[in-house]
């Protein structure tokens, strides 16, 4: 019997984690929001506030090809409330969702796609796992780098680092990463998570 390709993922909800408001715009913690903003802009979609979902939402495509984009307005530590409300409202399962999240354990320029896993110290993922009662949902971790290698310095500088903006010399690299994230989402929908993971997890940005 010949082998068959993995079926495409039934991806219907793309969630970016971050904090709402201008104060937090373009900060490292908001790289999930940045990816969704770029995707919506590319496809000519716009976000609208939805009180029931406790977030802002945009739609790409129609019918069976529709992909909903969600940016929770609950602040990072309560992201799960918005995600749970959105899944319930649209009758979606956690396995139909992909969460885009910043990761301080990965350097800027690296990506890590996983189908499930722990929060890994990330408050947005911790809230999501808590409200879903499960860690079985896909997440794409987007590296933002660490503030220091020394554990004590890293802990002391974590908040200022994740709530700080990218440096000017990091922006060209960030743009490459966001482009790859968007390509990765399309790849997931077409070819499934296994093949997409092979691509995304081995991504190496061009020298800048």
């Amino acid at each position: 019997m010949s082998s068959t390709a993995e079926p495409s993922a039934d991806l219907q909800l793309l969630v970016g984690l971050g904090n709402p408001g201008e104060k937090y715009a373009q900060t490292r913690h908001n790289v999930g929001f940045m990816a969704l903003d770029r995707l919506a802009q590319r496809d000519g979609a716009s976000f609208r506030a939805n009180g029931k979902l406790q977030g802002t939402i945009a739609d790409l495509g129609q019918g069976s090809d529709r992909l909903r984009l969600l940016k929770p307005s609950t602040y990072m530590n309560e992201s799960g409330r918005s995600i749970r409300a959105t899944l319930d409202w649209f009758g979606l399962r956690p396995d139909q969702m992909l969460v885009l999240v910043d990761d301080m354990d990965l350097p800027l320029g690296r990506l890590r796609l996983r189908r499930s896993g722990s929060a890994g110290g990330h408050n947005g993922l911790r809230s999501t796992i808590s409200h879903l009662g499960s860690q079985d949902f896909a997440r794409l971790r987007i590296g933002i780098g660490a503030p220091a290698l020394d554990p004590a310095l890293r802990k002391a500088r974590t908040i200022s680092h994740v709530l700080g903006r990218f440096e000017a010399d990091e922006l060209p690299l960030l743009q490459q990463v966001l482009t790859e994230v968007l390509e990765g989402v399309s790849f997931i929908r077409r070819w499934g998570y296994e093949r997409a993971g092979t691509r995304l997890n081995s991504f190496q940005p061009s020298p800048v």
Side-chain angles (χ1 to χ4, degrees):
M1 180 184 293
S2 61
S3 61
T4 57
E6 179 195 8
S8 60
D10 183 22
L11 178 57
Q12 298 191 36
L13 178 64
L14 191 61
V15 180
L17 298 189
N19 290 306
E22 281 302 313
K23 177 180 178 181
Y24 300 102
Q26 307 303 309
T27 60
R28 294 174 191 271
H29 224 17
N30 274 35
V31 73
F33 277 16
M34 292 181 207
L36 292 197
D37 286 338
R38 183 161 173 171
L39 181 55
Q41 183 179 31
R42 186 194 72 180
D43 288 18
S46 56
F47 283 91
R48 60 193 184 278
N50 187 310
K52 289 187 177 67
L53 307 185
Q54 303 175 64
T56 60
I57 195 159
D59 295 319
L60 305 184
Q62 296 180 339
S64 60
D65 290 329
R66 186 193 305 271
L67 179 64
R68 293 183 169 91
L69 314 182
L70 172 69
K71 296 192 294 184
S73 300
T74 51
Y75 290 94
M76 184 67 81
N77 292 0
E78 290 293 337
S79 299
R81 287 199 287 116
S82 174
I83 292 171
R84 174 80 270 175
T86 302
L87 290 174
D88 290 347
W89 180 260
F90 292 113
L92 299 176
R93 306 182 308 270
D95 63 286
Q96 294 174 301
M97 168 182 76
L98 172 65
V99 177
L100 306 180
V101 56
D102 63 290
D103 192 325
M104 205 168 61
D105 291 324
L106 293 174
L108 178 63
R110 297 306 305 272
L111 299 166
R112 189 72 69 239
L113 179 66
R114 292 287 184 266
R115 295 298 304 274
S116 64
S118 68
H122 194 285
N123 289 335
L125 289 178
R126 182 180 294 113
S127 173
T128 303
I129 291 169
S130 174
H131 282 270
L132 298 186
S134 171
Q135 58 185 26
D136 293 331
F137 58 89
R139 73 288 308 270
L140 177 58
R141 294 179 178 269
I142 304 171
I144 61 168
L149 295 177
D150 178 77
L153 284 177
R154 173 181 162 127
K155 183 176 181 180
R157 297 174 181 173
T158 290
I159 293 177
S160 61
H161 180 67
V162 300
L163 297 184
R165 288 176 168 79
F166 290 94
E167 302 294 337
D169 61 358
E170 294 178 313
L171 295 180
L173 180 52
L174 174 63
Q175 295 311 311
Q176 285 192 57
V177 170
L178 293 177
T179 296
E180 179 64 13
V181 169
L182 269 57
E183 291 297 321
V185 170
S186 298
F187 207 86
I188 289 168
R189 300 193 85 197
R190 182 174 182 182
W191 299 109
Y193 281 104
E194 184 174 348
R195 291 183 64 178
T198 299
R199 169 181 173 146
L200 290 166
N201 296 341
S202 61
F203 171 68
Q204 292 284 352
S206 303
V208 294

